Amino acid sequence: MSFSLRPVCRPCRVVAVLLAAALLAAGPAHPEAAPSGEWRQLNGQSTTAVLWQRQAAEYRALCHQAFQLADRRVYSAVLRLSGFRRVPPHPRYHPDRERLAVVLDLDETLLDNGPYLAAVAQSDTAGRERLALWNRWIDSGRQEALPGAVRFLNHLRRWRVQAFYVTNRGPQDREATLRTLQRLGFPDADEEHLFLNGGDGNKQPVFEKLEKRYRVLCYLGDSLTDFPLGTARMDEGHRNAAADAQAADFGTRFILLPNPVYGRWEQVLADGSARQDAAERLAARAALLQRAEWHHGAGWK
């Protein structure tokens, strides 16, 4: 199984194949809870989404679009606060007095985990085995930046705007994550600017803490939970309502990147989905498709 679906040079392809083999050869972390064949069917449902994310020019264009929007947002703010007509700011401008910042998610916002997602889509991994696979992928340090991310982050450094990385990766991933950010040349890749998951996946307390100390110009993420909307505990209906209520902030203060493969949106499709087994999740998805068909397309057949 290859860990990359994009055309790559022969040496890179060999490395990718060896990496995939090493990750998957270890087997289930807990053999007594080996996943059923239904997990392969469930995982396989993400194949089209993974292929789109890995192959489609439209996905790359959306990434570039998101970072361009963020770039304009920050550029305009720096100009306004500096009182000058162009950046980099005039030497008399001291941005530290303003304590300007941008808050960013990592996975599928700045970092591309496509090889891992491709491996999962072709496997029957679940539960602790999936987590073990994810941990080995993080430790490999082979994540790359999304299109447009490096350019945007280099502009933050040039304009003296601090970058804060707020991620749901766990404390065990700190060293590997910092190594990856430093390898990619991202600014502020240090302990002070990296916030990891405290255990509940709720980023809201971190957002509130940062907003007390900094002027946050914008947030970037691939999930509503990456923005200060308080959606971590919300169900599907309330999430939709929150997005509609804050519509004016998207594309300006909130910059959302596309992620059709995974996220909180998938977890709340059916009540208790995080605790359901593969068969229950498959049935819940089928029921939701049927509901959408008849609720929104009644009488079309």
Side-chain angles (χ1 to χ4, degrees):
M1 180 186 299
S2 173
F3 247 61
S4 177
L5 299 183
R6 288 180 180 150
V8 292
C9 64
R10 182 177 180 83
C12 295
R13 187 180 299 113
V14 171
V15 171
V17 171
L18 292 175
L19 173 63
L23 292 178
L24 296 177
H30 295 268
E32 73 277 9
S36 67
E38 290 165 330
W39 279 103
R40 181 177 295 277
Q41 181 183 351
L42 186 72
N43 293 340
Q45 289 187 349
S46 68
T47 297
T48 302
V50 173
L51 285 172
W52 181 80
Q53 203 166 8
R54 297 295 292 163
Q55 302 295 126
E58 290 82 355
Y59 174 72
R60 297 183 65 83
L62 285 170
C63 291
H64 285 301
Q65 176 176 271
F67 289 114
Q68 288 277 17
L69 288 171
D71 207 59
R72 292 180 183 180
R73 170 80 174 183
V74 176
Y75 183 92
S76 297
V78 170
L79 280 181
R80 185 177 66 254
L81 293 169
S82 68
F84 293 96
R85 295 183 178 180
R86 57 181 299 180
V87 290
H90 189 279
R92 293 200 306 272
Y93 170 58
H94 299 286
D96 289 343
R97 295 175 184 171
E98 297 291 345
R99 301 181 69 82
L100 304 181
V102 168
V103 177
L104 312 103
D105 177 50
L106 287 182
D107 297 302
E108 275 55 67
T109 297
L110 295 180
L111 302 179
D112 177 11
N113 294 299
Y116 161 80
L117 298 174
V120 170
Q122 301 172 80
S123 73
D124 62 354
T125 57
R128 293 181 179 178
E129 180 185 2
R130 174 87 59 84
L131 179 60
L133 181 66
W134 169 252
N135 288 337
R136 292 195 293 275
W137 165 245
I138 295 299
D139 290 341
S140 75
R142 296 188 61 81
Q143 300 86 50
E144 295 297 335
L146 291 186
V150 172
R151 177 179 180 273
F152 171 64
L153 288 168
N154 283 337
H155 283 175
L156 292 186
R157 177 188 286 114
R158 177 186 179 189
W159 300 336
R160 304 169 194 172
V161 175
Q162 295 188 60
F164 288 94
Y165 307 102
V166 184
T167 174
N168 276 330
R169 293 185 177 193
Q172 73 280 359
D173 300 321
R174 181 178 298 277
E175 291 185 8
T177 299
L178 287 175
R179 285 198 304 269
T180 297
L181 296 179
Q182 292 162 3
R183 175 178 61 82
L184 294 172
F186 287 175
D188 301 315
D190 54 39
E191 296 273 350
E192 178 185 353
H193 292 83
L194 177 63
F195 291 85
L196 300 163
N197 186 354
D200 59 0
N202 184 8
K203 298 182 178 182
Q204 193 69 28
V206 177
F207 297 153
E208 293 172 0
K209 176 182 178 180
L210 290 174
E211 289 191 346
K212 289 179 180 178
R213 299 181 57 194
Y214 299 91
R215 183 193 293 256
V216 179
L217 301 179
C218 63
Y219 293 79
L220 286 85
D222 65 306
S223 169
L224 286 191
T225 55
D226 297 326
F227 308 106
L229 298 173
T231 61
R233 303 287 184 270
M234 289 184 181
D235 59 19
E236 179 185 9
H238 287 92
R239 282 167 53 82
N240 289 334
D244 291 340
Q246 299 294 132
D249 284 326
F250 288 98
T252 56
R253 184 171 171 238
F254 303 152
I255 309 298
L256 183 66
L257 285 97
N259 180 2
V261 184
Y262 71 91
R264 183 64 181 163
W265 66 269
E266 192 273 338
Q267 297 172 13
V268 300
L269 288 179
D271 292 338
S273 63
R275 297 183 296 275
Q276 292 173 337
D277 61 25
E280 291 171 323
R281 295 189 192 190
L282 287 168
R285 291 183 180 186
L288 286 169
L289 284 176
Q290 186 176 31
R291 185 183 74 180
E293 173 187 353
W294 291 111
H295 282 197
H296 300 293
W300 69 274
K301 291 185 178 179

